[in-house]
């Protein structure tokens, strides 16, 4: 398929919930702004002080836990696969993470922007590279592995 004919998809929170089984407080992506099936996705999570994890991580110094940043990126990655014909109505499972690097803090009031690129697909297993940013600054980067079930 040529660059000109690739369909760029987007998904609001209701459409994301139709695709993913996650619900509050573990639905960690608000919108997918761009997704090209089998290639990449971009999305974000708006963070407020009302997020349950900020109550205990840490009192007086709220920071989004790194593991939840990784989970948000995994959820942002799922549409890359689940929009492919062979994986329609399947479940994308987080199978591993490598090379995770945390570079900046994510706080209440931030918009956590995510960019995910599919790097390898072999049968029902794939690898993707994810970057999470706030105000253009990289906060987290990781290589992720997924299995489709």
């Amino acid at each position: 398929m040529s660059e000109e004919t690739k369909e760029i998809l987007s998904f609001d929170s209701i459409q994301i919930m139709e695709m993913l089984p996650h619900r509050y407080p573990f639905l960690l992506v608000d919108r997918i702004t761009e997704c090209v099936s089998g290639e990449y996705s971009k999305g974000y999570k708006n963070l407020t002080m009302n997020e349950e994890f900020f109550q205990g991580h840490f009192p007086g110094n709220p920071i989004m836990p790194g593991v939840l940043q990784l989970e948000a990126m995994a959820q942002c990655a799922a549409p890359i696969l689940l929009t492919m014909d062979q994986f329609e109505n399947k479940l994308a499972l987080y199978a591993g993470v490598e090379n995770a690097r945390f570079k900046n803090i994510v706080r209440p009031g931030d918009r956590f922007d995510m960019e995910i690129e599919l790097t390898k697909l072999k049968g029902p297993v794939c690898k993707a590279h994810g970057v999470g940013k706030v105000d253009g600054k990289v906060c987290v980067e990781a290589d992720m592995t997924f299995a489709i079930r």
Side-chain angles (χ1 to χ4, degrees):
M1 191 179 276
S2 70
E3 290 295 321
E4 299 85 32
T5 60
K6 291 182 182 173
E7 184 179 9
I8 298 176
L9 306 169
S10 63
F11 303 100
D12 64 23
S13 58
I14 302 301
Q15 293 167 312
I16 293 167
M17 287 191 292
E18 290 169 356
M19 202 177 307
L20 299 177
H22 304 78
R23 296 296 179 264
Y24 179 83
F26 282 102
L27 181 62
L28 297 172
V29 60
D30 292 331
R31 184 171 294 272
I32 301 295
T33 56
E34 284 184 43
C35 178
V36 172
S37 184
E39 292 188 18
Y40 76 92
S41 68
K42 296 179 182 182
Y44 63 85
K45 168 71 176 159
N46 286 315
L47 296 157
T48 71
M49 192 59 206
N50 294 329
E51 307 291 343
E52 287 189 10
F53 51 80
F54 284 137
Q55 306 314 307
H57 196 270
F58 299 98
N61 187 22
I63 296 170
M64 183 179 190
V67 69
L68 295 183
Q69 294 174 43
L70 295 171
E71 175 63 25
M73 290 196 309
Q75 291 177 23
C76 187
I80 301 170
L81 301 166
L82 301 179
T83 56
M84 297 173 71
D85 290 340
Q86 69 263 39
F87 300 134
E88 190 176 349
N89 298 317
K90 301 283 185 187
L91 181 63
L93 300 171
Y94 210 163
V97 63
E98 297 175 272
N99 306 315
R101 298 288 180 264
F102 300 95
K103 300 177 180 189
N104 283 295
I105 292 172
V106 181
R107 296 192 177 277
D110 287 343
R111 179 173 135 158
F112 184 59
D113 292 304
M114 298 166 278
E115 298 177 10
I116 316 298
E117 180 182 5
L118 189 66
T119 56
K120 185 177 182 181
L121 177 61
K122 187 172 183 179
V125 177
C126 83
K127 291 192 178 271
H129 181 75
V131 178
K133 299 177 183 180
V134 172
D135 295 329
K137 287 183 173 178
V138 175
C139 296
V140 61
E141 248 185 290
D143 295 311
M144 303 171 284
T145 303
F146 300 94
I148 304 297
R149 183 170 165 227

